[in-house]
Amino acid sequence: MNNSFRAILIFAWITVLVSNADATTNLGFKVAQRNIGDRLEIEKNSASGESCRCPLRLFSFTPRNILFAGSLVSLVALSSTIDQPISSSILDLDEPYANTLSDVGHCYQNSFFILGSAASLYAFGWTYERSDFKRVGLEIIEAFALAGVGTQIIKHLAGRARPFTGDGPGYFTGPTTSSNKYLSFISGDVTSAFALSTVLSEEMRSLPFSVFVYSLASATAFQRIYTDQHWFSDTVGGAIWATAIG
């Protein structure tokens, strides 16, 4: 992706993000605890008096979390049965849109892009005295950090071979500190993209905007398969993990 295209995408994204947020939140961002379920703890931010989300309950051994973990494993296992055909189909694509979609997905998961989005929201909130914008900016950073740490732990425990190694989708070394080529599961880039999309979707409470941001995250999943870096089930696992954290 050339620098001009990247700059246009970033500028367009920040414009859409801030304008959509302002248009859909005349009374501020929707308070996040309203419909997020029992898996999130609500803590009081003593500095601002705003309620914020803290996904601590994800790490407790409750029946709900055990069921979630079992569902995650089952869904990833099911998706792994079609890893090879999906990978082959995407790698065989020879259409102009494939490269463009891959470029968009690559840009969306970039850590500078995600942290830049968080910083832009926080700066907007600070400039116009909107505590809701500042809170969302901080939540993006929190989700990005938690999802990233969890991803690295899972990667090193699984030790799955990447597609380009030629070892096949079923090759796992188990716990490993080896090179990057055996850290396929789960996709860190997809985790980052879906973490950002999940926080924004939860806060905006707008179906069109949610479809938009999750489509961008899905473009990242496409990019990881298209560049032969991940299996389909790697992207599914990353998306589920990020959605739970975000």
Side-chain angles (χ1 to χ4, degrees):
M1 179 188 297
N2 61 53
N3 291 333
S4 297
F5 184 50
R6 184 182 291 110
I8 292 171
L9 281 177
I10 292 174
F11 178 78
W13 165 250
I14 292 175
T15 301
V16 169
L17 185 61
V18 174
S19 62
N20 191 289
D22 196 49
T24 59
T25 56
N26 293 324
L27 299 177
F29 279 102
K30 300 295 191 297
V31 178
Q33 70 267 28
R34 289 180 180 168
N35 292 306
I36 58 176
D38 297 335
R39 67 180 177 83
L40 298 177
E41 254 185 13
I42 306 303
E43 293 186 346
K44 201 71 172 176
N45 187 320
S46 58
S48 65
E50 292 264 349
S51 292
C52 62
R53 299 183 295 157
C54 187
L56 298 177
R57 290 184 183 177
L58 272 176
F59 304 99
S60 59
F61 289 97
T62 63
R64 182 187 181 89
N65 287 349
I66 293 173
L67 178 61
F68 170 78
S71 300
L72 169 60
V73 172
S74 299
L75 185 56
V76 171
L78 181 62
S79 64
S80 68
T81 62
I82 53 175
D83 275 337
Q84 198 73 65
I86 287 182
S87 180
S88 298
S89 297
I90 292 179
L91 288 173
D92 288 342
L93 285 175
D94 189 23
E95 301 291 340
Y97 74 82
N99 287 328
T100 301
L101 186 61
S102 178
D103 286 344
V104 171
H106 180 67
C107 181
Y108 189 69
Q109 60 77 35
N110 187 279
S111 58
F112 291 106
F113 181 85
I114 294 173
L115 296 177
S117 298
S120 297
L121 284 170
Y122 191 89
F124 183 89
W126 182 80
T127 302
Y128 294 99
E129 298 183 350
R130 293 285 297 270
S131 60
D132 49 344
F133 278 78
K134 292 194 292 183
R135 174 173 54 80
V136 174
L138 293 175
E139 285 181 357
I140 290 173
I141 295 174
E142 178 192 57
F144 178 71
L146 287 175
V149 170
T151 296
Q152 291 305 313
I153 293 173
I154 296 171
K155 279 178 175 289
H156 287 278
L157 287 176
R160 189 184 199 183
R162 292 186 185 271
F164 64 78
T165 64
D167 292 323
Y171 189 87
F172 291 81
T173 66
T176 180
T177 57
S178 66
S179 66
N180 182 55
K181 65 181 182 178
Y182 291 107
L183 299 178
S184 187
F185 183 81
I186 52 181
S187 171
D189 290 349
V190 171
T191 299
S192 297
F194 272 87
L196 173 61
S197 294
T198 300
V199 171
L200 293 176
S201 176
E202 287 282 349
E203 295 291 349
M204 296 297 187
R205 304 294 186 190
S206 166
L207 180 58
F209 188 80
S210 294
V211 170
F212 174 65
V213 292
Y214 279 119
S215 294
L216 291 174
S218 297
T220 298
F222 172 83
Q223 187 268 342
R224 301 312 289 158
I225 300 173
Y226 184 65
T227 55
D228 208 24
Q229 295 295 313
H230 284 288
W231 301 103
F232 174 65
S233 54
D234 297 336
T235 68
V236 171
I240 295 173
W241 169 242
T243 302
I245 288 295

